[in-house]
Amino acid sequence: MKVAFLVAPEGVEQVELTDPWQAVRDAGGTPRLVSTKPGRIQAFDHLDKADTFEVDQVVKDATVGEYDALVLPGGVANPDFLRLNEAAVAFAKGFFDAGKPVAAICHAPWTLVEADVLRGRTLTSWPSLRTDITNAGGSWVDEQVKVCTSGPNALITSRRPDDLKAFCAAFLEEFSKTTKGSAS
């Protein structure tokens, strides 16, 4: 299982990157950090700078076909930056078009709002995204984790860092359903 983690050069909530990353590794998968620029990304612990992480691939050079699934970590600035980058939005949308699973936590659904892939989908997020999701044609629920399979792919969403344990368990279950029989 090869999983893309799409993040901006700065602003990702570190725990929303590192916990799912470790969950993929622990499940025997290969996580890859994809960003809009090469080099290192700057993670944050809420509003404070945290660690930096090496980018594995620039999104403009990435293809959906290289990956089995996509994880979109949150952080307020991270998805706000990504939704302004055409290559990042197209990459995220490509997973929906290909029927591959996508997991998004906290503010990350902003990128999916921009990709126009939420019509008819039910998801959760940080509460301040409720109106954006509704305006994009989605249904918002206040649940620890929501798995929506009423579209071309599985969409797994959670609200906040406190939901990470349930989020990781849910996306790993969905990712394994999709990747059974494919090469890791």
Side-chain angles (χ1 to χ4, degrees):
M1 172 175 53
K2 190 173 176 185
V3 180
F5 281 73
L6 179 61
V7 298
E10 65 179 359
V12 67
E13 185 69 28
Q14 182 161 316
V15 71
E16 293 176 9
L17 170 63
T18 57
D19 281 17
W21 184 280
Q22 190 61 49
V24 168
R25 288 183 62 113
D26 290 349
T30 304
R32 302 257 303 154
L33 192 61
V34 179
S35 189
T36 58
K37 294 181 181 176
R40 298 186 73 79
I41 63 108
Q42 175 66 62
F44 280 75
D45 179 9
H46 192 53
L47 299 175
D48 298 321
K49 284 186 177 181
D51 297 324
T52 64
F53 299 89
E54 187 69 32
V55 172
D56 293 311
Q57 189 173 29
V58 177
V59 72
K60 69 178 180 58
D61 300 328
T63 65
V64 172
E66 297 173 71
Y67 297 98
D68 298 305
L70 173 66
V71 173
L72 295 169
V76 178
N78 178 53
D80 195 46
F81 179 88
L82 289 175
R83 67 184 179 164
L84 294 175
N85 183 286
E86 289 180 26
V89 172
F91 186 66
K93 184 179 186 315
F95 283 83
F96 288 79
D97 294 343
K100 294 183 177 185
V102 173
I105 187 167
C106 205
H107 289 80
W110 264 338
T111 305
L112 302 178
V113 166
E114 193 66 32
D116 194 24
V117 294
L118 299 182
R119 294 181 199 290
R121 304 306 294 267
T122 301
L123 63 153
T124 193
S125 68
W126 185 255
S128 66
L129 276 67
R130 180 181 187 162
T131 300
D132 296 324
I133 289 167
T134 302
N135 287 344
S139 297
W140 187 87
V141 293
D142 185 10
E143 296 177 13
Q144 184 179 41
V145 65
K146 179 64 183 173
V147 177
C148 179
T149 56
S150 65
N153 65 334
L155 174 60
I156 306 94
T157 52
S158 281
R159 302 169 298 188
R160 61 179 138 264
D162 290 345
D163 300 335
L164 276 164
K165 186 175 180 180
F167 176 65
C168 292
F171 81 65
L172 285 174
E173 181 178 336
E174 290 303 317
F175 288 9
S176 71
K177 290 177 188 177
T178 304
T179 60
K180 280 204 187 329
S182 71
S184 291

